Amino acid sequence: MTAPKTALVISAHAADFVWRCGGAIALHAEMGYQVTVACLSFGERGESARLWKDGKSLQEVKDIRRAEAEAAADVLGVHHLECFDLGDYPLHLEQADKMRLVDLIRKVQPSFMLCHSQYDPYNTDHMYTTQIALECRMIAQAWGHNPGEKVLGAPQLYLFEPHQTEQMGWKPDTFLDITPVWDKKRAAMEHMNGQVHLWDYYTRVAQQRANHFKRNSGGMSGGRDCKYAEGFQSIFPRTVDEL
């Protein structure tokens, strides 16, 4: 039997994968991909203001964020959710943590990877995560790292949309129609009760990107209809046989 295709999302905080690429996860899961999500932290310090205002303790916040992430991952069809629990604000990986991520990348052997924008002055955890993702991707490709293991090929690294695109230098070159799985993404977002204010925000983002999808698929000259979409920026050149 042919092994299923795989994908890997590297998320700085527990909710990032839901807002930024939940549609891509759900869509590819329905296509038969085994999508693994690596959450480096729960976002317990910096992205859980509502829970802190409710008087929760640090452990309570972490437990709630973990449960939210697990529920959202289940809705989206995530094959495996790996929670590193490394803390946030600031997020920091020791060498052993990086090697753990390298091991995961090699285990998954992703067809493509998803991560944050390369620059984010509002949240340095995000751009730090992408730097780590690039470093660990490189190590996973090295034949001299743990010789005898299957090395990584050259999966594309797509950068999902940051919160304030104009400030991040993020320029999408790929739009994905997520209309067929929008209900799953919205349901997953509604599990993230620590950030209720983002539910409608990311709904509007998806509608805006749908407009760009339609425009770039042919516009008024027969472009494909689309109600919800996600945008991504690719890091590496793509090799294709036809456009």
Side-chain angles (χ1 to χ4, degrees):
M1 293 179 63
T2 303
K5 291 184 177 180
T6 58
L8 176 64
V9 181
I10 302 177
S11 181
H13 312 108
D16 291 330
F17 73 93
V18 181
W19 316 123
R20 317 297 171 78
C21 62
I25 293 170
L27 191 67
H28 286 83
E30 288 196 354
M31 292 178 186
Y33 279 70
Q34 292 183 348
V35 183
T36 295
V37 176
C39 276
L40 301 188
S41 80
F42 295 117
E44 63 271 17
R45 291 189 177 90
E47 300 197 347
S48 306
R50 183 179 180 186
L51 299 176
W52 287 109
K53 291 175 182 178
D54 287 343
K56 304 296 184 184
S57 68
L58 176 61
Q59 190 58 51
E60 286 176 322
V61 173
K62 289 172 67 173
D63 291 344
I64 290 169
R65 294 283 287 185
R66 179 193 285 271
E68 290 177 350
E70 290 174 346
D74 185 61
V75 169
L76 296 174
V78 170
H79 175 70
H80 175 64
L81 174 65
E82 182 87 6
C83 295
F84 281 59
D85 190 13
L86 299 177
D88 65 317
Y89 281 59
L91 174 65
H92 176 74
L93 274 69
E94 299 291 346
Q95 187 71 3
D97 302 319
K98 294 179 184 179
M99 294 306 102
R100 179 182 170 190
L101 184 55
V102 171
D103 289 344
L104 181 63
I105 293 172
R106 281 193 169 179
K107 179 181 178 181
V108 173
Q109 291 288 320
S111 300
F112 64 89
M113 300 169 63
L114 293 163
C115 201
H116 297 266
S117 60
Q118 286 187 288
Y119 181 62
D120 189 338
Y122 293 93
N123 193 322
T124 58
D125 283 0
H126 291 165
M127 60 183 186
Y128 175 74
T129 296
T130 298
Q131 181 59 40
I132 292 295
L134 286 166
E135 181 179 342
C136 290
R137 178 185 182 276
M138 175 190 73
I139 297 168
Q141 292 175 311
W143 284 79
H145 174 73
N146 291 342
E149 291 184 353
K150 184 178 180 180
V151 300
L152 181 70
Q156 180 61 253
L157 178 62
Y158 289 104
L159 309 182
F160 42 63
E161 184 159 3
H163 193 65
Q164 298 191 51
T165 57
E166 297 85 354
Q167 307 303 319
M168 315 318 195
W170 179 84
K171 185 177 180 180
D173 55 27
T174 305
F175 293 105
L176 181 68
D177 183 1
I178 62 168
T179 306
V181 295
W182 171 252
D183 288 346
K184 289 185 177 181
K185 178 169 182 176
R186 178 71 195 203
M189 291 196 298
E190 291 182 4
H191 278 293
M192 312 313 293
N193 290 301
Q195 294 172 286
V196 173
H197 62 289
L198 294 180
W199 295 0
D200 289 339
Y201 176 84
Y202 278 100
T203 296
R204 294 193 299 271
V205 168
Q207 292 169 332
Q208 180 77 354
R209 293 307 175 194
N211 178 274
H212 297 163
F213 180 99
K214 288 191 289 186
R215 177 69 176 177
N216 287 280
S217 68
M220 296 177 70
S221 299
R224 202 174 97 194
D225 191 25
C226 177
K227 293 183 179 179
Y228 301 96
E230 289 173 342
F232 302 95
Q233 178 183 347
S234 57
I235 288 290
F236 302 101
R238 282 167 286 184
T239 55
V240 298
D241 293 317
E242 62 182 281
L243 296 178

CSV table of all heavy atoms in Angstrom, one decimal, residues 38-67:
chain,number,residue,atom,x,y,z
A,38,ALA,N,2.8,20.6,15.6
A,38,ALA,CA,3.7,20.8,16.7
A,38,ALA,C,3.4,22.1,17.4
A,38,ALA,O,3.7,23.2,16.8
A,38,ALA,CB,5.1,20.7,16.3
A,39,CYS,N,2.9,22.1,18.6
A,39,CYS,CA,2.7,23.4,19.4
A,39,CYS,C,3.8,23.5,20.3
A,39,CYS,O,4.0,22.7,21.2
A,39,CYS,CB,1.4,23.3,20.1
A,39,CYS,SG,-0.1,23.7,19.2
A,40,LEU,N,4.6,24.6,20.1
A,40,LEU,CA,5.8,24.7,20.9
A,40,LEU,C,5.5,25.2,22.3
A,40,LEU,O,6.2,25.0,23.3
A,40,LEU,CB,6.8,25.7,20.3
A,40,LEU,CG,7.3,25.2,18.9
A,40,LEU,CD1,8.4,26.1,18.4
A,40,LEU,CD2,7.8,23.7,18.9
A,41,SER,N,4.4,26.0,22.5
A,41,SER,CA,3.9,26.4,23.8
A,41,SER,C,2.4,26.5,23.8
A,41,SER,O,1.8,26.4,22.7
A,41,SER,CB,4.5,27.8,24.1
A,41,SER,OG,3.8,28.8,23.5
A,42,PHE,N,1.8,26.7,24.9
A,42,PHE,CA,0.4,26.8,25.0
A,42,PHE,C,-0.1,28.3,24.9
A,42,PHE,O,-1.2,28.6,24.9
A,42,PHE,CB,-0.1,26.3,26.3
A,42,PHE,CG,0.0,24.8,26.5
A,42,PHE,CD1,0.8,24.3,27.5
A,42,PHE,CD2,-0.6,23.9,25.6
A,42,PHE,CE1,1.0,22.9,27.6
A,42,PHE,CE2,-0.4,22.5,25.7
A,42,PHE,CZ,0.4,22.0,26.7
A,43,GLY,N,0.9,29.2,24.8
A,43,GLY,CA,0.6,30.6,24.8
A,43,GLY,C,0.0,31.1,26.1
A,43,GLY,O,-0.8,32.0,26.2
A,44,GLU,N,0.4,30.4,27.2
A,44,GLU,CA,-0.2,30.6,28.5
A,44,GLU,C,0.1,32.0,29.1
A,44,GLU,O,-0.8,32.6,29.8
A,44,GLU,CB,0.2,29.5,29.5
A,44,GLU,CG,1.7,29.5,29.8
A,44,GLU,CD,2.5,28.6,28.9
A,44,GLU,OE1,2.0,28.3,27.8
A,44,GLU,OE2,3.6,28.3,29.3
A,45,ARG,N,1.2,32.6,28.8
A,45,ARG,CA,1.5,33.9,29.4
A,45,ARG,C,1.0,35.1,28.5
A,45,ARG,O,0.5,36.0,29.0
A,45,ARG,CB,3.0,34.0,29.6
A,45,ARG,CG,3.6,33.1,30.7
A,45,ARG,CD,5.0,33.4,31.0
A,45,ARG,NE,5.6,32.6,32.1
A,45,ARG,CZ,6.1,31.4,31.9
A,45,ARG,NH1,6.3,30.9,30.7
A,45,ARG,NH2,6.6,30.7,33.0
A,46,GLY,N,1.3,35.0,27.2
A,46,GLY,CA,1.1,36.1,26.4
A,46,GLY,C,-0.2,36.1,25.6
A,46,GLY,O,-0.6,37.2,25.1
A,47,GLU,N,-0.9,35.0,25.5
A,47,GLU,CA,-2.1,34.9,24.6
A,47,GLU,C,-3.3,34.4,25.3
A,47,GLU,O,-4.1,33.8,24.7
A,47,GLU,CB,-1.7,34.1,23.3
A,47,GLU,CG,-0.5,34.7,22.6
A,47,GLU,CD,-0.4,34.2,21.1
A,47,GLU,OE1,-1.1,33.2,20.8
A,47,GLU,OE2,0.3,34.8,20.4
A,48,SER,N,-3.3,34.6,26.6
A,48,SER,CA,-4.5,34.1,27.4
A,48,SER,C,-5.0,35.2,28.3
A,48,SER,O,-5.3,34.9,29.5
A,48,SER,CB,-4.0,32.9,28.2
A,48,SER,OG,-3.4,31.9,27.3
A,49,ALA,N,-5.0,36.4,27.9
A,49,ALA,CA,-5.4,37.5,28.8
A,49,ALA,C,-6.8,37.3,29.5
A,49,ALA,O,-6.9,37.6,30.6
A,49,ALA,CB,-5.4,38.8,28.0
A,50,ARG,N,-7.7,36.8,28.7
A,50,ARG,CA,-9.1,36.6,29.3
A,50,ARG,C,-9.0,35.6,30.5
A,50,ARG,O,-9.7,35.8,31.5
A,50,ARG,CB,-10.0,36.1,28.2
A,50,ARG,CG,-11.4,35.9,28.7
A,50,ARG,CD,-12.3,35.4,27.6
A,50,ARG,NE,-13.7,35.3,28.0
A,50,ARG,CZ,-14.7,34.8,27.3
A,50,ARG,NH1,-14.4,34.4,26.1
A,50,ARG,NH2,-15.9,34.7,27.8
A,51,LEU,N,-8.2,34.6,30.4
A,51,LEU,CA,-8.1,33.6,31.4
A,51,LEU,C,-7.4,34.2,32.7
A,51,LEU,O,-7.8,33.9,33.8
A,51,LEU,CB,-7.4,32.4,30.9
A,51,LEU,CG,-8.0,31.6,29.8
A,51,LEU,CD1,-7.1,30.5,29.3
A,51,LEU,CD2,-9.4,31.1,30.2
A,52,TRP,N,-6.4,35.0,32.4
A,52,TRP,CA,-5.7,35.7,33.6
A,52,TRP,C,-6.7,36.6,34.3
A,52,TRP,O,-6.7,36.7,35.5
A,52,TRP,CB,-4.5,36.4,33.1
A,52,TRP,CG,-3.4,35.5,32.8
A,52,TRP,CD1,-2.9,35.2,31.5
A,52,TRP,CD2,-2.6,34.7,33.7
A,52,TRP,NE1,-1.9,34.3,31.6
A,52,TRP,CE2,-1.7,33.9,32.9
A,52,TRP,CE3,-2.6,34.5,35.1
A,52,TRP,CZ2,-0.7,33.1,33.5
A,52,TRP,CZ3,-1.7,33.7,35.6
A,52,TRP,CH2,-0.8,32.9,34.9
A,53,LYS,N,-7.5,37.3,33.5
A,53,LYS,CA,-8.5,38.3,34.1
A,53,LYS,C,-9.5,37.6,34.9
A,53,LYS,O,-10.1,38.1,35.8
A,53,LYS,CB,-9.1,39.1,33.0
A,53,LYS,CG,-8.2,40.1,32.3
A,53,LYS,CD,-8.9,40.8,31.1
A,53,LYS,CE,-7.9,41.7,30.4
A,53,LYS,NZ,-8.5,42.4,29.2
A,54,ASP,N,-9.7,36.3,34.6
A,54,ASP,CA,-10.7,35.5,35.3
A,54,ASP,C,-10.1,34.9,36.6
A,54,ASP,O,-10.7,34.2,37.3
A,54,ASP,CB,-11.2,34.3,34.5
A,54,ASP,CG,-12.2,34.8,33.4
A,54,ASP,OD1,-12.7,35.9,33.5
A,54,ASP,OD2,-12.4,34.0,32.4
A,55,GLY,N,-8.8,35.2,36.8
A,55,GLY,CA,-8.1,34.8,38.1
A,55,GLY,C,-7.6,33.4,38.0
A,55,GLY,O,-7.3,32.8,39.1
A,56,LYS,N,-7.3,32.8,36.8
A,56,LYS,CA,-6.8,31.5,36.8
A,56,LYS,C,-5.3,31.5,37.1
A,56,LYS,O,-4.6,32.4,37.0
A,56,LYS,CB,-6.9,30.9,35.3
A,56,LYS,CG,-8.4,30.9,34.8
A,56,LYS,CD,-9.3,30.0,35.6
A,56,LYS,CE,-10.7,30.0,34.9
A,56,LYS,NZ,-11.6,29.2,35.7
A,57,SER,N,-4.8,30.3,37.6
A,57,SER,CA,-3.4,30.1,37.9
A,57,SER,C,-2.7,29.7,36.6
A,57,SER,O,-3.3,29.4,35.6
A,57,SER,CB,-3.2,29.0,38.9
A,57,SER,OG,-3.6,27.8,38.4
A,58,LEU,N,-1.4,29.8,36.7
A,58,LEU,CA,-0.6,29.4,35.5
A,58,LEU,C,-0.9,28.0,35.0
A,58,LEU,O,-1.1,27.8,33.8
A,58,LEU,CB,0.9,29.5,35.8
A,58,LEU,CG,1.9,29.1,34.7
A,58,LEU,CD1,1.7,29.9,33.4
A,58,LEU,CD2,3.3,29.1,35.1
A,59,GLN,N,-1.0,27.0,35.9
A,59,GLN,CA,-1.3,25.7,35.5
A,59,GLN,C,-2.7,25.5,35.0
A,59,GLN,O,-2.9,24.8,34.0
A,59,GLN,CB,-1.1,24.7,36.7
A,59,GLN,CG,-1.2,23.2,36.3
A,59,GLN,CD,-0.1,22.9,35.3
A,59,GLN,OE1,1.1,23.1,35.4
A,59,GLN,NE2,-0.5,22.3,34.2
A,60,GLU,N,-3.6,26.3,35.6
A,60,GLU,CA,-5.0,26.2,35.1
A,60,GLU,C,-5.1,26.8,33.7
A,60,GLU,O,-5.8,26.2,32.8
A,60,GLU,CB,-5.9,27.0,36.0
A,60,GLU,CG,-6.3,26.4,37.3
A,60,GLU,CD,-7.1,27.3,38.2
A,60,GLU,OE1,-6.8,28.5,38.3
A,60,GLU,OE2,-8.0,26.7,38.9
A,61,VAL,N,-4.3,27.9,33.4
A,61,VAL,CA,-4.3,28.5,32.1
A,61,VAL,C,-3.7,27.5,31.1
A,61,VAL,O,-4.3,27.2,30.0
A,61,VAL,CB,-3.5,29.8,32.1
A,61,VAL,CG1,-3.3,30.3,30.6
A,61,VAL,CG2,-4.2,30.8,32.9
A,62,LYS,N,-2.6,26.8,31.4
A,62,LYS,CA,-2.0,25.8,30.5
A,62,LYS,C,-3.0,24.7,30.3
A,62,LYS,O,-3.1,24.2,29.1
A,62,LYS,CB,-0.7,25.3,31.1
A,62,LYS,CG,0.4,26.4,31.1
A,62,LYS,CD,1.6,25.9,31.9
A,62,LYS,CE,2.3,24.8,31.2
A,62,LYS,NZ,3.6,24.5,31.8
A,63,ASP,N,-3.6,24.2,31.3
A,63,ASP,CA,-4.6,23.1,31.1
A,63,ASP,C,-5.7,23.4,30.2
A,63,ASP,O,-6.1,22.6,29.4
A,63,ASP,CB,-5.1,22.6,32.5
A,63,ASP,CG,-4.0,21.9,33.4
A,63,ASP,OD1,-3.0,21.6,32.8
A,63,ASP,OD2,-4.3,21.8,34.6
A,64,ILE,N,-6.2,24.6,30.4
A,64,ILE,CA,-7.4,25.1,29.6
A,64,ILE,C,-6.9,25.2,28.1
A,64,ILE,O,-7.6,24.8,27.2
A,64,ILE,CB,-7.9,26.4,30.1
A,64,ILE,CG1,-8.6,26.2,31.4
A,64,ILE,CG2,-8.9,27.1,29.1
A,64,ILE,CD1,-9.0,27.5,32.2
A,65,ARG,N,-5.7,25.8,27.9
A,65,ARG,CA,-5.2,26.0,26.6
A,65,ARG,C,-4.9,24.7,25.9
A,65,ARG,O,-5.2,24.5,24.7
A,65,ARG,CB,-4.0,26.9,26.6
A,65,ARG,CG,-4.2,28.3,27.0
A,65,ARG,CD,-4.8,29.2,26.0
A,65,ARG,NE,-3.8,29.5,25.0
A,65,ARG,CZ,-4.1,30.3,23.9
A,65,ARG,NH1,-5.2,30.9,23.8
A,65,ARG,NH2,-3.1,30.6,23.0
A,66,ARG,N,-4.4,23.7,26.6
A,66,ARG,CA,-4.2,22.4,26.1
A,66,ARG,C,-5.5,21.8,25.6
A,66,ARG,O,-5.6,21.2,24.5
A,66,ARG,CB,-3.5,21.5,27.1
A,66,ARG,CG,-3.2,20.1,26.5
A,66,ARG,CD,-2.8,19.1,27.6
A,66,ARG,NE,-1.5,19.3,28.1
A,66,ARG,CZ,-0.4,18.7,27.5
A,66,ARG,NH1,-0.6,17.9,26.5
A,66,ARG,NH2,0.8,18.9,28.0
A,67,ALA,N,-6.5,21.8,26.5
A,67,ALA,CA,-7.8,21.2,26.2
A,67,ALA,C,-8.4,21.9,24.9
A,67,ALA,O,-9.0,21.2,24.1
A,67,ALA,CB,-8.7,21.4,27.4
